[in-house]
Amino acid sequence: HTYNEEKNIERCLSSLHWVDEIVLIDMGSTDNTCIIAKNFKARIYSHPYTGFVEPARNFGLEKTKGDWIIIVDADEEVSKGLAHYLLGEVQKPSSDYYRIARKNIIFGRWVKHAGWWPDYQIRFFKKGSVAWTEKIHGIPLTYGTGTELDAAENLSLIHYHYQNIEQYIERLNRYTTISAKNLFVANQRFSTKLLFEMPTREFINRFFAWEGYKDGIHGMALSLLQAFSELVVYLKLWELENFREEKITLAETEELFIKENKLTRYWFLNELLKQPHNFWNGFVFRLKRKLLQYG
């Protein structure tokens, strides 16, 4: 599925030389995407622009002829090791669908933490065993048995993800609009509390629980950007409610700040305890963590 992917499509399709057919679903590209794809003998179909991939994926599944299908985004490529492995599985399949680790290259670096690795995706499957919901980033529906491949670089799908901050912000704006609408349709309503809770929890998950700090400034930047994305989602939900007035006092605001700050501080101490430290520092970290937990 493509939309103005002339910078990526040749690399992507070159990694698919081992397949019997290439089905490309284009959502109104105005660049040379389709011209380049024709050089790879791709069968090209048009699909209305949706801003996210799931509807185009389901449409593409209907156009395929083979018994086995691999779905690849235009900014991805199939590693040689993965191609070799999947060709072997077709000869003697052990499952109906396969979860493949995805190697995300973000801001010029392979990001190994903060939820970006192994980033398993169901992308290779027997026709009829997998279908996507019509929701953004929806979990696919599966039928039959599945196998999760080893989280190894040579068995990964390589994803050339965000190249710069501008690209991240552009996608953030599009994705958050769709996510806010989905929440609104699901009868989720805005509250000031969510503006504090959701971004904080997103940052904690990315930076602490998923050890984003191990990726240095890349991990910090992506954890903060993902937290900001959550903030924008709930502000857009507020917008869908016509910016409904909701009064909040300074005392209530302070309480919300203190609560989220305590949670963040707890996770800082929790991770510090995993680092090399002497007995006295360890004692102090544990004491502070306990006081936060029960204070």
Side-chain angles (χ1 to χ4, degrees), residues 236-268:
K236 287 185 175 182
L237 178 61
W238 179 48
E239 181 181 13
L240 289 172
E241 297 180 42
N242 295 316
F243 300 114
R244 172 173 54 83
E245 181 65 29
E246 183 173 314
K247 293 182 179 180
I248 183 168
T249 66
L250 284 175
E252 290 170 334
T253 305
E254 181 187 28
E255 185 178 343
L256 290 169
F257 264 115
I258 290 173
K259 179 182 177 182
E260 300 309 319
N261 182 61
K262 279 186 176 180
L263 185 60
T264 304
R265 184 59 183 157
Y266 174 88
W267 275 92
F268 264 115

Side-chain angles (χ1 to χ4, degrees), residues 6-202:
E6 64 180 7
K7 293 181 179 180
N8 293 313
I9 194 65
E10 184 171 357
R11 178 183 60 213
C12 172
L13 298 184
S14 294
S15 74
L16 295 172
H17 59 87
W18 51 280
V19 305
D20 295 319
E21 66 168 349
I22 295 176
V23 174
L24 187 144
I25 309 302
D26 187 70
M27 292 185 278
S29 293
T30 57
D31 63 3
N32 293 319
T33 297
C34 293
I35 295 174
I36 297 170
K38 287 177 181 177
N39 294 330
F40 291 85
K41 297 182 172 55
R43 290 193 286 114
I44 302 172
Y45 298 90
S46 296
H47 187 279
Y49 181 79
T50 58
F52 59 107
V53 302
E54 283 75 8
R57 282 182 180 168
N58 286 331
F59 179 72
L61 292 179
E62 299 172 0
K63 304 300 181 183
T64 57
K65 297 178 180 179
D67 295 326
W68 286 89
I69 299 169
I70 183 167
I71 288 185
V72 185
D73 291 350
D75 59 357
E76 297 173 341
E77 68 174 314
V78 179
S79 64
K80 292 180 180 179
L82 177 60
H84 179 75
Y85 178 88
L86 296 180
L87 282 172
E89 283 297 302
V90 168
Q91 302 302 317
K92 193 176 180 181
S94 59
S95 296
D96 299 296
Y97 59 90
Y98 295 78
R99 292 185 176 88
I100 301 171
R102 188 164 64 163
K103 177 182 175 181
N104 286 288
I105 311 296
I106 306 177
F107 306 150
R109 173 179 170 174
W110 175 16
V111 178
K112 300 179 182 179
H113 302 91
W116 294 101
W117 174 261
D119 189 25
Y120 276 107
Q121 306 287 323
I122 298 175
R123 294 294 191 81
F124 185 69
F125 49 90
K126 188 182 296 182
K127 190 170 185 178
S129 63
V130 176
W132 270 262
T133 66
E134 297 294 300
K135 293 183 178 181
I136 186 171
H137 299 154
I139 298 174
L141 305 172
T142 57
Y143 309 91
T145 59
T147 290
E148 186 170 278
L149 273 59
D150 292 340
E153 187 176 3
N154 68 316
L155 293 178
S156 68
L157 192 63
I158 305 168
H159 186 201
Y160 297 90
H161 214 324
Y162 304 109
Q163 298 175 30
N164 50 56
I165 304 299
E166 182 178 4
Q167 185 186 52
Y168 185 100
I169 297 299
E170 185 276 325
R171 292 187 189 179
L172 178 151
N173 189 41
R174 186 168 75 249
Y175 293 160
T176 53
T177 295
I178 296 168
S179 296
K181 288 180 179 177
N182 287 341
L183 288 173
F184 188 78
V185 170
N187 207 35
Q188 171 72 63
R189 291 299 175 257
F190 169 82
S191 72
T192 307
K193 180 182 177 182
L194 292 173
L195 288 182
F196 290 84
E197 283 189 354
M198 303 310 290
T200 301
R201 280 151 180 72
E202 182 69 15

Side-chain angles (χ1 to χ4, degrees), residues 213-214 270-277:
Y213 61 88
K214 290 184 177 180
N270 195 63
E271 294 306 305
L272 283 170
L273 281 167
K274 297 179 183 178
Q275 309 298 310
H277 56 265

